[in-house]
Amino acid sequence: MKIIGTGSALPKKVVTNDDLAQFLDTSDEWILPRTGIRSRHVITDERLEDLGKDAALLALKDAGLTPGDIDLFICSNVVNEYLTPSLSCVISAAIGMHCPAIDINCACPGFIYAMDIAENYFLAGKVSNVLIVCAEEPTRMTSWTDRSTCVLFGDGAGAAVFTKGDNVKAIKLNSQPSVIHLYETRPLLPTPFITRHETEQPLHMDGREVFKFAVSTSLRDIEEILRKTGTSVDEIDFFMIHQANLRIIEGIRRGLGAPESKFPSNIYDHGNSSSASCPILLDECNRKGLFKRGDKLVFSAFGAGLLSAVAFLEW
Ligand code: ACO
């Protein structure tokens, strides 16, 4: 398969580190050097499905297709207001699309997990065009009294349209299952039969453990996919890394020994938007005209699960 269109949509409200310091014991001096984040887009009166819809329509327009041309829609999402129907169905209804619709919850690597599913549909000869939308509102998952998590996140949606082609050279999905380092729980409605105590736990993250996992796993994933495809670091034009923390991206960059110019980043004014991070970055780079035909791109992402994924494709 190959990418023929990208799109993204962000909430209008921008919250700076200085804004956060108005109600949290934090500061720009603490957040910026440790994360690379100066501001983030935060949902206010928007609905996540509207951001997903806008990103999808922009990607379809970029691809020169209509919703009726899409054979499969995969939506990556961790949290939204609907428990049912799936977010892919909610977005499909909004844009008038009538193809099979699948939701996946693979946290931050969701875009690459969705690409892997799409690639297998192409290989099975079942589809001609696939739409992937990653729509996330992680700012609704954290406690806004927990300065160690809420400062890290921003909301948004990113989308990409794929058609037949042989530009995807390799995708590898990995897991190192562990709940305790990164999780969130919420109680379901009570019944007369539930006897256990269920608690609401806003996003809990062992920052240092997740940091180490992110750098070591991404390096391992990228080195493995390069080895398997017989490609050197020097041959890669752009490393599209999940925008979780600039220091994580820096650790990966140094580990690979590649120049900064090969690591596009938008974390400065986006924060971490979970699975939406890679396709939003992709769309912004695409619209800036950063990529030329044949450029070699490596995507790497990591997050709750703990899951990670890597993909190597040509533009
Ligand atoms: N402002 C001011 N002080 C803070 C803040 C804040 N926002 N957050 C934490 N601190 C304080 C802590 O309370 C602690 O104080 P103490 O020493 O008095 O106890 C001190 O700063 C150091 O805290 P650490 O958590 O040890 O700080 P660290 O240098 O590890 O940085 C951070 C924390 C930025 C979260 C880092 O661990 C990190 O980036 N981890 C990776 C997290 C991540 O990117 N996850 C995303 C991947 S998964 C996903 O996308 C869902």
Side-chain angles (χ1 to χ4, degrees):
M1 62 182 187
K2 65 178 177 186
I3 297 173
I4 53 166
T6 65
S8 60
L10 299 166
K12 58 186 175 304
K13 171 101 178 146
V14 172
V15 176
T16 64
N17 293 344
D18 290 337
D19 294 335
L20 295 177
Q22 302 294 314
F23 60 92
L24 272 177
D25 181 13
T26 192
S27 62
D28 186 53
E29 291 70 34
W30 195 95
I31 300 170
L32 187 61
R34 282 175 183 78
T35 68
I37 303 166
R38 167 56 65 75
S39 63
R40 68 287 288 146
H41 292 258
V42 172
I43 273 188
T44 54
D45 59 353
E46 299 96 347
R47 289 186 176 277
L48 188 62
E49 57 266 34
D50 292 331
L51 298 180
K53 174 185 132 184
D54 291 348
L57 290 175
L58 285 166
L60 285 166
K61 188 173 176 208
D62 192 35
L65 298 181
T66 66
D69 297 317
I70 298 298
D71 305 306
L72 175 69
F73 176 27
I74 308 171
C75 185
S76 166
N77 168 257
V78 177
V79 168
N80 73 91
E81 286 173 69
Y82 286 94
L83 290 178
T84 194
S86 62
L87 190 59
S88 53
C89 287
V90 176
I91 295 172
S92 291
I95 64 177
M97 195 161 61
H98 297 278
C99 63
I102 306 173
D103 268 27
I104 60 168
N105 177 348
C106 300
C108 306
F111 182 59
I112 305 173
Y113 270 72
M115 277 204 270
D116 191 57
I117 296 168
E119 171 77 338
N120 281 294
Y121 271 83
F122 278 107
L123 291 172
K126 287 179 156 181
V127 292
S128 298
N129 299 304
V130 175
L131 171 65
I132 295 175
V133 172
C134 303
E136 303 280 13
E137 46 186 334
T139 68
R140 308 296 304 280
M141 299 173 63
T142 59
S143 161
W144 282 80
T145 59
D146 178 5
R147 65 181 181 174
S148 69
T149 53
C150 71
V151 305
L152 302 172
F153 296 98
D155 304 320
V161 177
F162 295 79
T163 197
K164 288 177 183 171
D166 64 354
N167 293 37
V168 172
K169 301 305 172 192
I171 301 177
K172 179 76 168 63
L173 311 181
N174 287 311
S175 78
Q176 189 178 305
S178 161
V179 175
I180 54 168
H181 297 308
L182 186 50
Y183 70 94
E184 171 164 5
T185 60
R186 58 181 163 180
L188 302 182
L189 292 176
T191 77
F193 312 108
I194 290 292
T195 53
R196 63 177 186 269
H197 178 62
E198 292 181 333
T199 51
E200 184 168 289
Q201 168 65 54
L203 190 76
H204 166 86
M205 180 167 64
D206 294 335
R208 292 200 169 183
E209 282 304 317
V210 175
F211 194 103
K212 281 187 265 173
F213 165 78
V215 176
S216 60
T217 303
S218 178
L219 269 173
R220 180 205 63 197
D221 288 356
I222 293 172
E223 282 165 356
E224 188 184 340
I225 209 166
L226 292 182
R227 197 168 49 248
K228 279 198 173 147
T229 55
T231 314
S232 70
V233 169
D234 291 346
E235 288 175 89
I236 301 300
D237 297 287
F238 296 104
F239 292 92
M240 309 290 286
I241 309 292
H242 168 47
Q243 303 289 294
N245 182 322
L246 195 60
R247 282 162 52 219
I248 292 176
I249 300 168
E250 261 303 291
I252 297 163
R253 187 187 72 75
R254 271 192 254 109
L256 291 170
E260 268 177 47
S261 56
K262 290 191 173 187
F263 288 74
S265 175
N266 60 13
I267 192 160
Y268 182 76
D269 50 9
H270 287 60
N272 176 352
S273 55
S274 189
S275 74
S277 132
C278 279
I280 291 173
L281 181 66
L282 174 70
D283 182 51
E284 291 182 353
C285 292
N286 180 25
R287 281 169 199 274
K288 278 184 207 151
L290 189 67
F291 308 135
K292 57 183 187 314
R293 189 179 292 272
D295 273 355
K296 294 182 170 58
L297 273 55
V298 167
F299 287 85
S300 172
F302 33 79
L306 299 167
L307 296 178
S308 71
V310 62
F312 172 25
L313 55 90
E314 275 179 16
W315 189 247

